[in-house]
């Protein structure tokens, strides 16, 4: 079994080896740029780890794993354009550097490149991997659409929110694990358990993100604390704040959510104070713990020797207790 | 063998039967809208006709043919957004009705839907059809990128232009024919000849488009005459006008190409007069004839009985002598 670190090294070298030499260069420069910005590479890593569990090797999963990472970066590229985000990983976004049209078209080319890589899955399981990927990709578009619609709503329910982050974030993590399992030769039910495991860590992962935005350590978070608060992002915390607030707190929240001009520090302090008084940190941590335990019982259902799962467990633990 | 009319009926009923019932509805409404706007359905028709030649039936080609039509409509949706076009087939474009973000995301969902349909090609030839489609889709993105770059250039050569329309228009027609041939069980060299045939009719088709914009009959053309002239589109005619013009004509062309405010009728009259004096109608017709003859010799290389090609020949002839 390969360690997580070895798997990450392999992924970085494979990504560096993807060459986009077809003309026009102007179409593929933004693709290389996006892929070179880095990121946790968590999706391809999980795909390779899942393959390694059943196949004692990762080669069969390399191309589909790369396809999933290219696809993930495609969604970031188009999402940043739709969200008018200026920065991604501290660098200017593609549409800021090359303009909206190139961002649209280079994104399209990236989605096609993702399919090219996934299309090179071993023919014996191509159809299954392709079907799973296509279903997942469509779900992710749906998640982004919900996310954009939620921006204009103040009555998003917790249930709607969980469904949105399942679609936008969790299904790709689940798809990565299941893809690795399929190409690694896992029995169908085990591939299904790994998919469920992916959904549960994906949900926990996103809730962790919501939490870090408010309660993260500025020294290690990597982004500015309170970014979600400033743009009224409907996070798990804000949705529950609106649900649990008394009348006065609710009025304060809604007032500030409409404001155009304000001191950012004031708004962050005010929202955090309300979150504190409603014990939303604890509420969110409980929910993260709930999904974490579900994920662990998904793993427990696998009929592989526990030592084959050690690496996956340790990565999960690190993701759960991450600081950035 | 099915007639072209029967094939078109089948395509329309299949397209009407595509249902996008997955939530969110707001993501798929623009997809249904785009597909319902109509169009010639020439790509799926050619795929089905090619299949029919070798398989004496079209069933195996239905899903990939639909995938190619969905893909074609995806390119129109994103291209219209990039080109800021207000109308498509006399109806408002998707970004005019639903906004740019929905146009981006619904387009992405359409590209994924195209892959879903193509992914349901018979497993025996899935890999080959998928590879061909992916290569073609990437080429089409390249063609659109060149097209956008040509807008900002006045020195586009005829060779560059032909390469751009090969990528933007001809390769998808060629891909449709080859896809139908592959799923229909054609020998590899015959599928290749049909691909070449598609390239040649695709090039002729686009040059015909360029010609109709200037010399079409307003009563039957369906669009306003001179649309390409008004927006300085680098067509086969304008590129050759700039190449063949004397110094005075060249100055006139370049002057008017920079103008912001002018009487549209004046510009169209002026450009048409220059095109007339340079015999560009004849030059373009000759080139169309050149590609038409190449296409006919591609067909002549097929080892199928001539009666199996009658329908394809007659459609080609109609496309060559079309008025809209």
């Amino acid at each position: 079994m390969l360690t997580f670190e070895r798997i990450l090294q392999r992924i970085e070298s494979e990504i560096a080896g993807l060459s986009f030499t077809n003309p026009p260069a102007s179409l593929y420069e933004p693709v290389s740029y996006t892929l070179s910005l880095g990121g946790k590479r968590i999706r391809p890593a999980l795909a390779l780890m899942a393959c390694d569990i059943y196949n004692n090797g990762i080669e069969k999963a390399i191309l589909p794993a790369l396809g999933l990472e290219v696809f993930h970066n495609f969604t970031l590229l188009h999402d940043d354009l739709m969200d008018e985000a200026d920065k991604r990983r501290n660098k200017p976004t593609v549409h800021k550097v090359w303009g909206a049209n190139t961002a649209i078209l280079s994104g399209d080319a990236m989605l096609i490149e993702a399919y090219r890589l996934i299309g090179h899955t071993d023919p014996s399981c191509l159809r299954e991997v392709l079907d799973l990927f296509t279903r997942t990709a469509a779900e992710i578009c749906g998640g982004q659409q919900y996310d954009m619609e939620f921006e204009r709503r103040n009555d998003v329910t917790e249930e709607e929110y969980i469904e949105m982050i399942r679609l936008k974030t969790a299904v790709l993590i689940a798809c990565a694990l299941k893809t690795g399992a399929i190409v690694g030769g896992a029995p169908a039910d085990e591939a299904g358990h790994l998919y469920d495991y992916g959904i549960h860590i994906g949900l926990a992962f996103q809730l962790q993100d919501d939490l870090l935005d408010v309660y993260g350590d500025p020294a290690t978070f990597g982004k500015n604390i309170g970014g979600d608060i400033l743009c009224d992002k409907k996070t798990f915390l804000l949705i529950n704040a609106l649900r649990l607030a008394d009348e006065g707190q609710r009025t304060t929240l809604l007032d500030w959510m409409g404001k155009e001009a304000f001191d950012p520090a004031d708004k962050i302090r005010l929202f955090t104070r309300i979150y504190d008084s409603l014990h939303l940190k604890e509420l969110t941590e409980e929910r993260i713990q709930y999904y974490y335990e579900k994920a662990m019982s998904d793993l427990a259902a696998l009929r592989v020797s526990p030592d084959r799962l050690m690496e996956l467990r340790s990565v999960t633990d690190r993701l759960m207790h991450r600081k950035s």
Side-chain angles (χ1 to χ4, degrees), chain A residues 225-275:
Chain A
I225 295 292
D228 291 346
I229 291 176
L230 294 178
C231 69
D232 302 328
K233 194 161 171 61
K234 306 300 176 330
T235 65
F236 188 78
L237 290 96
L238 180 53
I239 287 165
N240 275 298
L242 288 166
R243 180 172 69 88
L244 299 169
D246 64 30
E247 212 172 315
Q249 288 171 324
R250 199 181 149 80
T251 308
T252 305
L253 289 169
L254 290 173
D255 269 3
W256 279 80
M257 286 169 68
K259 277 192 189 167
E260 295 279 333
F262 53 80
D263 179 339
D266 282 349
K267 185 170 177 180
I268 294 171
R269 202 177 312 115
L270 195 68
F271 275 52
T272 306
R273 207 176 297 152
I274 294 176
Y275 292 178

Side-chain angles (χ1 to χ4, degrees), chain A residues 14-22 28 31-32 35 113 116-117:
Chain A
E14 289 287 342
I15 289 174
L18 288 175
S19 71
F20 302 100
T21 50
N22 281 355
Y28 290 103
V31 177
S32 302
L35 288 171
E113 173 66 13
R116 190 184 69 77
L117 289 161

Side-chain angles (χ1 to χ4, degrees), chain A residues 93-277:
Chain A
T93 47
V94 166
H95 64 101
K96 282 282 153 187
V97 182
W98 286 278
N101 281 357
T102 296
I104 295 170
L105 200 59
S106 292
D108 295 346
M110 266 182 110
L111 173 51
I112 292 162
E113 173 66 13
Y115 267 107
R116 190 184 69 77
L117 289 161
I118 287 161
H120 283 81
T121 301
D122 193 90
S124 63
C125 50
L126 173 58
R127 177 67 178 272
E128 192 179 358
V129 166
L130 199 61
D131 277 357
L132 171 63
F133 175 64
T134 289
R135 193 166 57 246
T136 304
E139 286 176 332
I140 290 164
C141 288
Q144 169 68 3
Q145 180 75 5
Y146 281 125
D147 198 14
M148 293 195 298
E149 288 177 4
F150 289 179
E151 280 175 29
R152 297 187 298 272
R153 286 177 49 193
N154 290 329
D155 62 349
V156 178
T157 65
E158 191 186 285
E159 196 185 354
E160 287 178 309
Y161 178 73
I162 296 292
E163 174 63 4
M164 184 278 281
I165 64 174
R166 186 184 74 82
L167 293 168
K168 189 164 168 171
T169 304
V171 295
L172 189 56
I173 291 172
C175 168
L177 285 153
K178 187 169 178 178
T179 298
I182 292 169
V183 300
D189 64 329
E190 302 241 326
H193 290 311
L194 276 169
Y195 185 89
D196 294 341
Y197 162 77
I199 293 292
H200 293 128
I201 62 168
L203 293 174
F205 188 84
Q206 183 57 52
L207 295 184
Q208 189 80 17
D209 231 43
D210 290 3
L211 197 60
L212 286 172
D213 181 71
V214 185
Y215 295 106
D217 179 349
T220 55
F221 182 46
K223 287 183 274 191
N224 291 329
I225 295 292
D228 291 346
I229 291 176
L230 294 178
C231 69
D232 302 328
K233 194 161 171 61
K234 306 300 176 330
T235 65
F236 188 78
L237 290 96
L238 180 53
I239 287 165
N240 275 298
L242 288 166
R243 180 172 69 88
L244 299 169
D246 64 30
E247 212 172 315
Q249 288 171 324
R250 199 181 149 80
T251 308
T252 305
L253 289 169
L254 290 173
D255 269 3
W256 279 80
M257 286 169 68
K259 277 192 189 167
E260 295 279 333
F262 53 80
D263 179 339
D266 282 349
K267 185 170 177 180
I268 294 171
R269 202 177 312 115
L270 195 68
F271 275 52
T272 306
R273 207 176 297 152
I274 294 176
Y275 292 178
D276 285 345
S277 77

